[in-house]
Amino acid sequence: MKKIKKSNLRLDPGSGEKVDALYKSVITAGTHLAPSIRVAEAAKVIENSQRDINIAFVNELKKIFDRMNIDTMAVLEAAGTKWNFLHFKPGLVGGHCIGVDPYYLAQKAQEYDYHPEIILAGRRMNDSMGNYVAGEVVKRMIKEGLNVKDAQILVLGITFKENCPDVRNTKVIDVVKALKEYGTHVTIYDPWANPEEVKQEYGVDIQTCKPTQKFDAVVTAVSHKEFEEDTSGSYLKECGVLYGLKD
């Protein structure tokens, strides 16, 4: 094999400006030319890490206010009346960016003998939410006098975010697995996801059409527009439990 000279791998000194000009021709929102690829990659990583930490904060608030019997969304709405409040909502953090990039940054930091605390604390909080959701659903069922073992539970959504078919690194699967560990029977309904892809990736079956049966509990895991237009309570048996992180 012919050896490639290093000089052939060097970028044209003006290539950055050329690429920037190309992007400017198609991106109307504007572009920013970073001084180096290292700066550009670092900027993308910290943007995702920052969102991860902010979501982790409201997820922790959710856990606190649930214990205090305070409506978390009402608190966030009230706090949002302050002009400089950052608007984030509790939720399951998956996907190929926010749920992954913080680990890249943490690993690189450790290569430089620095142990990141806030970044990893945010990851631990967000990665714990699947088990938390399942536990809260079971608690509410017990309070309603429902039998948990062999209960029929409907999970609405399997994608990692609303109104998209992407199931990469979805944390909804954590909720499903945890609920099954309690001995429940879980049905997953998602009109956006590809059943074959979900089966191959996570080993579970989903349905893309509305269920016709009634369930002991319904978990709104993803806020697809179809679920907003439909009444989740219509899937519930009498005294059934409805749970959503954003409820």
Side-chain angles (χ1 to χ4, degrees):
M1 182 180 291
K2 186 178 180 180
K3 191 174 181 179
I4 300 176
K5 295 181 181 179
K6 288 185 178 180
S7 59
N8 292 336
L9 299 175
R10 291 174 184 168
L11 293 174
D12 181 348
S15 61
E17 288 80 1
K18 293 176 182 177
V19 171
D20 185 51
L22 174 62
Y23 276 110
K24 282 181 177 178
S25 68
V26 294
I27 300 176
T28 58
T31 64
H32 173 79
L33 179 59
S36 69
I37 188 65
R38 286 166 61 86
V39 170
E41 288 296 325
K44 180 59 178 174
V45 168
I46 69 163
E47 189 268 335
N48 283 321
S49 298
Q50 183 182 66
R51 281 192 286 166
D52 190 48
I53 292 168
N54 280 318
I55 297 170
F57 174 60
V58 293
N59 276 338
E60 186 162 57
L61 293 179
K62 171 72 173 173
K63 291 184 176 183
I64 294 170
F65 293 143
D66 279 355
R67 292 190 175 207
M68 300 170 67
N69 197 28
I70 297 176
D71 185 337
T72 304
M73 298 308 295
V75 173
L76 294 176
E77 182 180 0
T81 60
K82 185 170 173 56
W83 68 271
N84 59 350
F85 183 77
L86 301 179
H87 296 270
F88 287 89
K89 296 179 181 179
L92 301 168
V93 183
H96 52 91
C97 291
I98 303 179
V100 176
D101 279 1
Y103 285 124
Y104 293 152
L105 182 56
Q107 180 180 346
K108 183 57 67 174
Q110 290 170 343
E111 289 177 9
Y112 285 82
D113 297 323
Y114 181 84
H115 180 74
E117 297 183 19
I118 295 175
I119 295 170
L120 291 179
R123 281 282 73 232
R124 286 193 297 271
M125 173 58 64
N126 287 339
D127 279 347
S128 74
M129 292 307 290
N131 285 330
Y132 177 76
V133 169
E136 288 299 297
V137 172
V138 169
K139 286 180 185 177
R140 294 189 184 189
M141 292 176 67
I142 293 173
K143 288 180 180 178
E144 292 295 331
L146 299 172
N147 291 325
V148 175
K149 183 173 175 55
D150 293 327
Q152 296 290 336
I153 298 180
L154 174 64
V155 172
L156 296 175
I158 188 67
T159 61
F160 86 86
K161 69 176 182 179
E162 65 275 7
N163 305 322
C164 86
D166 200 336
V167 297
R168 286 177 291 177
N169 195 32
T170 176
K171 294 303 177 181
V172 179
I173 195 65
D174 293 348
V175 179
V176 173
K177 289 179 178 178
L179 287 172
K180 287 184 176 181
E181 288 177 356
Y182 284 104
T184 69
H185 301 287
V186 180
T187 297
I188 305 169
Y189 163 45
D190 194 318
W192 286 81
N194 183 318
E196 294 180 0
E197 184 180 356
V198 174
K199 182 68 173 181
Q200 180 179 358
E201 188 69 25
Y202 301 107
V204 297
D205 295 311
I206 70 168
Q207 58 186 68
T208 56
C209 297
K210 291 183 181 182
T212 56
Q213 70 183 92
K214 298 288 186 177
F215 296 86
D216 299 295
V218 175
V219 182
T220 306
V222 187
S223 300
H224 289 319
K225 60 184 180 182
E226 287 84 354
F227 303 153
E228 295 176 357
E229 296 166 358
D230 191 17
T231 304
S232 301
S234 63
Y235 301 119
L236 283 174
K237 295 179 181 178
E238 188 176 352
C239 297
V241 169
L242 178 62
Y243 183 88
L245 277 167
K246 296 179 175 65
D247 292 341

